[in-house]
Amino acid sequence: MRHGVLVADGVYWIGVNDRVTELFERQWPLPYGMAYNSYVVLGERTALIDTVADAEGMEYLERLEGVLEGRSLDYLIVNHMEPDHTGAIGEVVRRYPGIRVVGNKKTAEIYNRYFSGLGENFQTVNDGEELDLGGGRKLQFYLTPWVHWPETMMTLETGSGVFFTGDAFGSYGALDGAIFDDEMDATRYEDEMLRYYTNIVARYSGNVLKALDKVKDLPFRIIASTHGPIWRMDIGWPVERFRRWAAQEGEPGVVIAVGSMYGSTLTAAEYLARCLTESGVPRVILHDVSKTHVSYILRDAWRYRGLILGSVAYNTEMFPGMWVLCEKLRHAKVANRSVGLFGGASWSGGGVRKLKEFVDEQKGLTLVGAPVEMMGREVKSVADQLQGLAEAMAGAIAE
Ligand code: FEO
C-alpha cells in the first residue's frame, strides 16, 4: 500500500505521474511526462480535491485508501471538469457511494454531461462559500472562470493555508520523487511551465489576470496546482510568472520562425538571425516550423517581444507549417508583439502576402519594418532589406 505525501497538517498529496502518454490533449508533446496532482483533506469529515486522468493501474486509488486509513470519503471537490482531472471520478464515486460531489453551478452543468448517472449527490456552492469539514479544516471556494474552462474554481483550506488552484500555476513534466519546490531545482520546470501556459491557458490570459487579482490577498502559504510542483518555499515564483505571461510582457529577444521547402528561405533566416545579433538583440532563437513542434514555438513567441515570421510561397499561399503556427498564435490571442515578415518565392509569391494578412487581422501585433520577399535563392538580393528589418526590430524591442 502506497501512501500520500504530507503537504500540511491534515492535507496530503496523492497525485500520479504519466510517463507513457506522448501527447497531452493528443496534440502537445510530453517529453518529460505529466503529473496529475490530487489532494486529500482530513478533518472530522474528509474531502478529495480533484482526481486524476484515470484510475487505471490503481496506484491512485491505493494512495487514496492509504491516506484515508479506513475512513469514508465525504466530499469530492471538483475545481475543474476537464477529463485530466475527472477521469477517476466514476471509480471514486462507485467506491464511496455516500460521497457528495462539490462544484459550482457551471460545474454541475458539465458534470451532468459527463456523469449523468452520478448527479444525485452533487452539492452546488457559490463564490466565497465555505464548507466546514470540522477539526479546524474549512474549504473556501473562489470562482475563477476560464482558468481554463468556464467552471474552473480554486479552493482554499483556511486552516493550513493550502490553496488548490487547479490548472493555474501548473506545468508539464512529471514529478521525479521531489514534489515541493524546496526539494528540487524548480527552475528546471520554467520552460515546461511556460509551454504549458501557452499551449493550454494563454487564450484566456485576460481571465487569468482577473483571477490573480481576485485571489491575491487570500491568506495562502502553499500553492497546490493540479500539475507540476507544489510551491511552499517561494509562492511568488509561479504567481509572478503567470502574471507576466498573462499580461504578455515579453522579454528582450526575437524569435524567428521559418517555413522553407528547399532551404533558400531558411538561408535567409540564418542571415537575418546574424543581423539581429549584430544589431544588439540579446536573445535570438530560430525555429524551423518543419522541425520544431508548434508547441515549443508558441512558448518562445510568448517569451520574447520580437517575432519574425518567414514563409516560402507554397502554391501562392504560406507554407503549411507556418499556417499552423499562425493559427495557433491567433487562437492563443498573441498580442503585445513587434512582428517582422520575410519569405521566398520562385514565381508569383504569396507566402509573405498571407503572413501580412495574418498580422493585419490579429489585434495587438505591430508590424516592424517592411516585409521582405526574396525571389529565387540569392540572399544577397535582399541582404540590405534583411539588414534593415533586423535594425528596425532591434530598435522596436529595445523601446
Ligand atoms: Fe489540467 Fe484544463 O485541465
Side-chain angles (χ1 to χ4, degrees), residues 1-5 12-16 38-42 46-52 55 58-76 88-89 91-93 95-96 99:
M1 180 74 70
R2 300 184 66 178
H3 290 239
V5 176
Y12 292 83
W13 169 87
I14 58 163
V16 296
S38 172
Y39 305 89
V40 177
V41 180
L42 301 177
T46 60
L48 176 62
I49 314 289
D50 295 312
T51 72
V52 295
M58 310 309 273
E59 179 190 19
Y60 172 68
L61 294 165
E62 286 177 8
R63 281 190 173 159
L64 174 58
E65 277 181 27
V67 168
L68 288 173
E69 293 186 314
R71 298 180 64 183
S72 66
L73 188 55
D74 298 304
Y75 296 101
L76 165 59
I89 281 184
E91 187 60 30
V92 167
V93 172
R95 285 182 173 223
Y96 303 95
I99 197 168

Side-chain angles (χ1 to χ4, degrees), residues 62-224:
E62 286 177 8
R63 281 190 173 159
L64 174 58
E65 277 181 27
V67 168
L68 288 173
E69 293 186 314
R71 298 180 64 183
S72 66
L73 188 55
D74 298 304
Y75 296 101
L76 165 59
I77 313 302
V78 180
N79 284 323
H80 185 16
M81 270 302 301
E82 193 167 9
D84 54 329
H85 308 294
T86 54
I89 281 184
E91 187 60 30
V92 167
V93 172
R94 272 187 284 280
R95 285 182 173 223
Y96 303 95
I99 197 168
R100 294 193 70 76
V101 179
V102 177
N104 59 68
K105 201 172 150 199
K106 198 72 186 173
T107 321
E109 272 177 36
I110 302 174
Y111 183 88
N112 282 316
R113 289 174 193 140
Y114 277 78
F115 305 106
S116 57
L118 300 174
E120 61 271 21
N121 290 330
F122 199 94
Q123 180 172 327
T124 304
V125 293
N126 296 311
D127 191 29
E129 195 170 325
E130 187 171 275
L131 175 64
D132 190 348
L133 298 178
R137 302 276 155 253
K138 292 179 182 173
L139 301 176
Q140 287 178 352
F141 307 104
Y142 295 93
L143 273 58
T144 51
W146 297 107
V147 186
H148 108 258
W149 276 16
E151 85 300 354
T152 40
M153 65 181 195
M154 301 183 189
T155 299
L156 173 65
E157 200 292 288
T158 58
S160 61
V162 180
F163 198 20
F164 306 103
T165 59
D167 282 350
F169 316 118
S171 172
Y172 292 136
L175 294 167
D176 299 339
I179 66 169
F180 298 103
D181 58 342
D182 53 279
E183 295 179 329
M184 62 177 74
D185 174 10
T187 58
R188 178 173 160 259
Y189 284 86
E190 184 165 10
D191 280 354
E192 286 296 86
M193 198 174 190
L194 176 55
R195 192 165 66 89
Y196 171 83
Y197 182 83
T198 57
N199 296 178
I200 309 299
V201 188
R203 177 175 172 80
Y204 308 107
S205 287
N207 302 86
V208 171
L209 288 173
K210 281 184 197 161
L212 292 177
D213 192 51
K214 178 173 183 169
V215 304
K216 70 179 190 305
D217 295 324
L218 294 178
F220 57 91
R221 64 183 187 87
I222 297 174
I223 291 177

